Amino acid sequence: MRIVLVGPPGAGKGTQATLLAKTLSIPHVSTGDLFRANISQGTELGLAAKSLMDAGKLVPDEVTIEMAKDRLAQPDAAHGFLLDGFPRNVAQSVALDGILKEWGIELDGVLDLEVPEDEVVRRIAGRRICRNDGGHVYHVESHPPAAEGICDVCGGELYQRSDDTEDKVRTRLEVYHTETEPIIEYYQKQGLVTTIAALGRVDEVTQRAIEALRKNKDEG
Ligand code: AMP
């Protein structure tokens, strides 16, 4: 399956993408994770992206599209992938369509995770992430680790993303509304979008997502 996950920051895209990718046996491709890996490795791309990411703004399309294309061209993505955080504007969606067309493949679905705005801010401000594996995610109130600052799964150090503070979240939400939301309409015209409520327990949302994708596939 080739899937795009859309939703505001804090919708749980990363958490759901990790679980869905495992269930569907496809790689989870997160452009945010790819940028963060470049930053921690000190690459030129990382240097160029860092200040924009810290400000909650988008990295220019050209570099982002090239990075995503390189990742999708890897052998593990040949039979499917779950995109998280890409495309993030209509220009990137058009570019992705072009890349897939060139490769003779198509998207199977776009899963839109819906969350009320005040819940988004609450989730992000309390979010803590494992340095070893960005898929291990906690919340200081609703999902605290057993020992403060330490990952239950692997013992890694937990940290707060530099763009997860409340003022940065507001900027990222604004960017989401103006830049990213229009891609939902873009994909609706292709009949690809399924919207699900991303509220409730993590496993309930995963279940909802899997059912929505199956239904979408059966109808498609
Ligand atoms: P995320 O981890 O998806 O929340 O992404 C974190 C940050 O990385 C975003 O706020 C952007 O600065 C940058 N980023 C990630 N994906 C993209 C993209 N597709 N286009 C532009 N910037 C991106």
Side-chain angles (χ1 to χ4, degrees), residues 41-64:
Q41 287 157 17
T43 68
E44 213 171 294
L45 175 63
L47 273 176
K50 186 167 186 338
S51 56
L52 290 163
M53 287 177 73
D54 281 347
K57 298 191 175 143
L58 294 188
V59 178
D61 288 343
E62 203 179 316
V63 273
T64 306

Side-chain angles (χ1 to χ4, degrees), residues 31-32 36 53 57-59 64 85-86 88 92 161 172:
T31 41
R36 280 184 287 277
M53 287 177 73
K57 298 191 175 143
L58 294 188
V59 178
T64 306
F86 179 86
R88 232 178 175 99
Q92 292 182 11
R161 273 172 46 172
R172 286 161 65 202

Side-chain angles (χ1 to χ4, degrees), residues 5-26:
L5 211 54
V6 202
K13 289 193 300 297
T15 305
Q16 290 304 329
T18 305
L19 295 167
L20 288 170
K22 214 177 201 174
T23 309
L24 301 168
S25 302
I26 48 177

